[in-house]
Amino acid sequence: MQNPSTDAPVPAICSRSEWVKPIGVYVHFPWCLRKCPYCDFATFERPREAIDHRGYANAVIAELDARRDWYKGRLETVFFGGGTPSLWEPAELGRVLEAILERAEGLSPDGVEVTVECNPSSLDGPRAKEFAAVGVNRLSVGVQGLDQSRLEFLGRLHNPDEALAAVRAAIASGVRVNADLMIGIATGFDERVHQAPAEAVREAAVVAELGVSHISAYQLTVEAKTRFGELDRKGKLPLVGDDRMATTFLETSRALEERGFEHYEISNFARPGERSRHNVGYWVGQDYLGLGCAAYGTITTENGAFRYRNAPNPERYLARVEAGQFEPHEREQLDGPTLLKERIMLGLRLREGIDLERAAEECRTEAWTDERRRATRELMSSGRLVQEGGSLRIPRDAWLFTDGIAAALF
Ligand code: SF4
């Protein structure tokens, strides 16, 4: 097998010589039982029995072996996303996990967080236990809502009872559990069928009281290349208004904080010590090795950082692996200013914001350009940004404007 082009492994982007590079691994599983109309992830419809579970695991392990020179550092987290990785036979997913752990240079002293994204239609008690038995210690369940008409509108295959049963099954397996919810959904143009803020609060409370340690509450993003995107272009997609969305966001936040969750990122809530370490890794600019069809990765070497993406189609990905071709489908070198813009965009999503000066040092670029100083002053005077020393953060009531605030700081 041919190795991908390699770079020296030392992560010199950070100047502290004692620093050990933390790294995460993301494994993409590209199949779902049915494609949801709002989803623009690289996913393909396929019945479970038509998936080559073993063949895909073999391909991902072969890719891992070929990318050994990029897989340097202390492994912190492994995330199986998709797609619907809960469709994957646990024994095959377990083989991939074992290979990732075995080949790591070092393991986090806090233990490696291992998450699997699950769809309620492919997670029950026995399956949750099988995942736990192969070393998974966190299950993320796509509940999305607890109202039948909303779930149908979103094209989900499960009903509210099945969603709750999947969360209970995940909790009973003894692992950490996240539930994904979507907030502010309109199933028609009549405002009476727009989700009321109180309804979003009720759903979040029901899920919280089941005993999950983490909740992600997302707003619908209309992506151009989806069925919802097409409907939106024709003016046929109902959406809740900005005011209702803002109220829903703030009331959901308040309700979850009252129940002991910390609102630590725009869309994420965690009980103490239960933040998603993998996602925090993205938000603070940690490297991650991406494996599998359509997976992205970001790797830092002494020659700088680069991002790559694997072939976006499963047949093509598998054929390339079979032929021993591991050059990524796309590869982009990231210079210091580009990296810092990403760090700003992602870091400002966190409650504590970003240590801009430290991030700039790590990215080997300038923290305070004249434009950035001016934008910071303007945003502070309008109450949309707080500066504390070299750090910047957005107050919670301005979180809904994060993208625009970050763009102003570029
Ligand atoms: S189940 Fe998840 S990954 Fe699959 S199509 Fe729906 S939203 Fe996308």
Side-chain angles (χ1 to χ4, degrees):
M1 277 175 198
Q2 173 196 325
N3 269 338
S5 65
T6 57
D7 299 87
V10 184
I13 222 162
C14 178
S15 55
R16 287 169 290 154
S17 57
E18 79 282 6
W19 187 66
V20 182
K21 179 175 96 161
I23 190 166
V25 174
Y26 173 79
V27 182
H28 190 76
F29 186 82
W31 295 287
C32 293
L33 294 178
R34 189 165 77 190
K35 182 91 182 174
C36 303
Y38 56 88
C39 176
D40 81 335
F41 297 145
T43 64
F44 300 85
E45 286 188 7
R46 189 164 291 186
R48 186 193 304 228
E49 53 286 359
I51 295 170
D52 180 0
H53 297 259
R54 189 164 184 80
Y56 191 65
N58 288 342
V60 171
I61 293 169
E63 187 196 345
L64 172 68
D65 283 332
R67 302 221 187 287
R68 289 290 278 275
D69 289 332
W70 295 353
Y71 184 30
K72 300 289 180 187
R74 188 188 66 219
L75 180 65
E76 298 288 329
T77 61
V78 181
F79 195 98
F80 292 89
T84 306
S86 53
L87 284 174
W88 208 349
E89 280 308 316
E92 297 303 334
L93 182 147
R95 274 202 311 126
V96 172
L97 175 59
E98 197 182 329
I100 291 169
L101 293 169
E102 266 175 17
R103 289 153 178 78
E105 273 194 332
L107 300 179
S108 168
D110 300 327
V112 177
E113 176 188 273
V114 183
T115 305
V116 175
E117 282 188 332
C118 304
N119 209 311
S121 52
S122 50
L123 188 75
D124 56 15
R127 202 166 187 82
K129 287 196 180 115
E130 284 180 86
F131 281 129
V134 298
V136 172
N137 51 35
R138 190 168 179 273
L139 294 172
S140 175
V141 185
V143 172
Q144 313 308 0
L146 296 175
D147 173 84
Q148 183 61 29
S149 58
R150 227 174 311 117
L151 289 171
E152 282 172 16
F153 175 77
L154 293 170
R156 306 296 297 188
L157 285 170
H158 60 268
N159 64 32
D161 288 343
E162 287 162 342
L164 294 174
V167 174
R168 287 193 189 97
I171 291 170
S173 73
V175 303
R176 298 160 63 200
V177 178
N178 167 63
D180 279 349
L181 289 171
M182 294 179 76
I183 59 170
I185 302 295
T187 53
F189 286 94
D190 185 335
E191 282 207 6
R192 284 172 298 185
V193 295
H194 291 192
Q195 187 186 32
E199 181 59 12
V201 165
R202 184 193 73 79
E203 292 190 354
V206 168
V207 170
E209 277 154 23
L210 289 179
V212 299
S213 56
H214 192 282
I215 293 178
S216 299
Y218 296 103
Q219 301 165 50
L220 174 69
T221 305
V222 182
E223 304 287 355
K225 291 183 186 157
T226 62
R227 197 134 45 86
F228 273 12
E230 199 183 315
L231 287 172
D232 193 40
R233 277 192 296 283
K234 295 178 182 160
K236 291 184 176 168
L237 182 71
L239 295 167
V240 300
D242 290 348
D243 287 350
R244 183 177 290 221
M245 184 58 89
T247 309
T248 303
F249 174 80
L250 292 171
E251 290 190 8
T252 304
S253 170
R254 192 162 33 242
L256 286 174
E257 291 219 325
E258 280 168 12
R259 285 166 177 79
F261 286 78
E262 177 203 22
H263 192 174
Y264 73 97
E265 192 267 353
I266 296 176
S267 305
N268 285 283
F269 302 81
R271 293 199 186 276
E274 295 290 340
R275 290 184 178 197
S276 161
R277 285 167 53 198
H278 188 81
N279 287 336
V280 170
Y282 292 141
W283 295 318
V284 301
Q286 184 182 291
D287 276 7
Y288 60 101
L289 184 77
L291 299 173
C293 162
Y296 283 95
T298 303
I299 300 293
T300 305
T301 73
E302 68 176 8
N303 300 322
F306 64 93
R307 172 154 311 125
Y308 66 94
R309 189 187 193 202
N310 286 337
N313 164 300
E315 283 67 42
R316 199 139 153 235
Y317 171 79
L318 289 164
R320 284 176 63 98
V321 172
E322 179 77 14
Q325 294 170 356
F326 293 98
E327 262 308 300
H329 175 70
E330 293 166 9
R331 176 172 164 149
E332 177 196 5
Q333 204 66 25
L334 302 166
D335 62 19
T338 305
L339 278 171
L340 185 60
K341 283 178 190 173
E342 288 191 357
R343 294 280 291 267
I344 291 171
M345 190 176 72
L346 297 170
L348 285 175
R349 298 181 62 89
L350 289 164
R351 178 188 198 116
E352 51 270 31
I354 178 173
D355 183 338
L356 180 70
E357 292 180 359
R358 181 170 158 192
E361 191 189 327
E362 290 174 0
C363 298
R364 293 178 162 183
T365 191
E366 193 186 350
W368 294 109
T369 58
D370 290 347
E371 295 78 13
R372 194 167 285 140
R373 272 193 201 287
R374 192 167 49 245
T376 299
R377 274 197 301 273
E378 282 168 14
L379 289 163
M380 286 172 65
S381 66
S382 63
R384 293 196 167 187
L385 195 65
V386 175
Q387 182 182 355
E388 283 151 358
S391 296
L392 299 173
R393 68 175 172 83
I394 300 177
R396 187 178 333 183
D397 53 8
W399 270 6
L400 283 174
F401 310 107
T402 295
D403 288 350
I405 294 169
L409 291 167
F410 285 176

